Amino acid sequence: MFVSVFITVAPFLCALQSDALELLRATATLGDPPSTPSVHCWCSIYPNVTFCSWPEPSPSPPTHYIATYSERHREASTKPCHLIPPGSLSAPSSSSEQLWHCQLPNLKLLTDYVINVTAVHPGGSSSHLTSFMLEDIVKPDPPVDVRVFPQNIKNLLVKWSPPPTWTSLDIFPLKYRIQYKWEHRDTPKSVNLGPIENTEFEMRGLIPGRAYLFQVCAKELLGLGQCSDWSSPAKITIPKARP
């Protein structure tokens, strides 16, 4: 005999007039319901390239996924999201998790979208619905080619290049933040500077003999979305004055 279970998990970040939606849903035919996919979406090339991702659960992955999206107030126009298995896409990740991705091409500006990712298990299914607007999830890829050049005994010139994937710099320029770190008496220190619209910046008043680590993040010039992940670090030790 099978027992059917349906669970809806709050929070519902949407009331009738709200612009946000978070809904976790799981169904199971026996025992505990399967875990719901934890879905994260971002627009890495505004406005043309949007991805959503979620980690593959371990040790019992689902048999398959179903991913669809639609304009929030036009659910009848639901479209399939192009699924990309783990390892098939080079995308930034802060962990070693196996991530599934799906690509949502050519979304409209200033439009609410809903994505529904359903994991199908032998004993049932689990779904995550979330809504977003492109303007809220813009997140460029990190800047590249960060370099530092000594100017004199206390100054450095930091240079970098925009993320090569951000191909519309003439229409949607970027601004940048610099983070530099050092250790003082075995205690980590850090400073954030910016925003900066140029791709170089002169650092002044640094300490001779101290090692510094520089990283840069990029954000859409008008402030849409969030800053990229930090770039790969560039390290330099400020030369000491000659005796």
Side-chain angles (χ1 to χ4, degrees):
M1 177 180 178
F2 291 96
V3 178
S4 179
V5 179
F6 180 85
I7 296 178
T8 300
V9 182
F12 235 131
L13 300 181
C14 91
L16 290 177
Q17 301 300 321
S18 175
D19 289 331
L21 167 69
E22 282 290 339
L23 174 62
L24 309 180
R25 181 176 60 205
T27 62
T29 53
L30 275 179
D32 295 331
S35 59
T36 56
S38 178
V39 182
H40 167 68
C41 299
W42 73 100
C43 177
S44 59
I45 307 175
Y46 181 76
N48 298 320
V49 179
T50 301
F51 287 100
C52 293
S53 69
W54 59 92
E56 176 110 291
S58 177
S60 300
T63 58
H64 65 279
Y65 289 100
I66 302 170
T68 60
Y69 67 99
S70 64
E71 294 181 34
R72 184 171 174 188
H73 302 295
R74 296 181 59 189
E75 287 79 2
S77 61
T78 298
K79 300 177 182 179
C81 182
H82 176 59
L83 286 171
I84 304 172
S88 301
L89 177 71
S90 177
S93 174
S94 58
S95 72
S96 59
E97 291 178 309
Q98 292 292 302
L99 293 177
W100 278 83
H101 293 81
C102 74
Q103 184 175 358
L104 293 71
N106 301 319
L107 301 183
K108 299 177 183 177
L109 304 183
L110 301 173
T111 302
D112 280 315
Y113 283 93
V114 176
I115 181 169
N116 181 356
V117 179
T118 299
V120 181
H121 303 259
S125 64
S126 56
S127 299
H128 186 146
L129 284 76
T130 189
S131 73
F132 62 85
M133 292 180 66
L134 280 182
E135 289 71 19
D136 295 330
I137 62 168
V138 173
K139 184 180 180 181
D141 289 331
V144 298
D145 197 23
V146 180
R147 295 154 291 158
V148 287
F149 305 94
Q151 296 290 92
N152 55 46
I153 198 63
K154 290 186 178 182
N155 296 356
L156 288 176
L157 183 65
V158 184
K159 290 187 174 185
W160 60 90
S161 298
T165 52
W166 193 268
T167 54
S168 302
L169 277 171
D170 53 337
I171 304 174
F172 301 107
L174 296 172
K175 58 185 176 182
Y176 304 91
R177 288 192 174 276
I178 297 174
Q179 173 180 261
Y180 66 101
K181 304 177 181 179
W182 71 95
E183 287 195 1
H184 179 61
R185 297 178 181 175
D186 297 325
T187 301
K189 307 284 186 180
S190 67
V191 172
N192 286 352
L193 299 175
I196 300 159
E197 295 183 23
N198 295 324
T199 54
E200 62 179 56
F201 186 77
E202 184 176 6
M203 308 288 301
R204 299 180 179 181
L206 302 177
I207 306 300
R210 176 176 288 173
Y212 291 91
L213 198 69
F214 292 89
Q215 293 175 284
V216 184
C217 77
K219 188 174 184 178
E220 196 275 333
L221 181 63
L222 297 180
L224 299 180
Q226 59 181 303
C227 217
S228 70
D229 292 334
W230 290 106
S231 68
S232 298
K235 186 176 182 179
I236 191 171
T237 299
I238 307 298
K240 290 184 178 181
R242 294 180 180 179

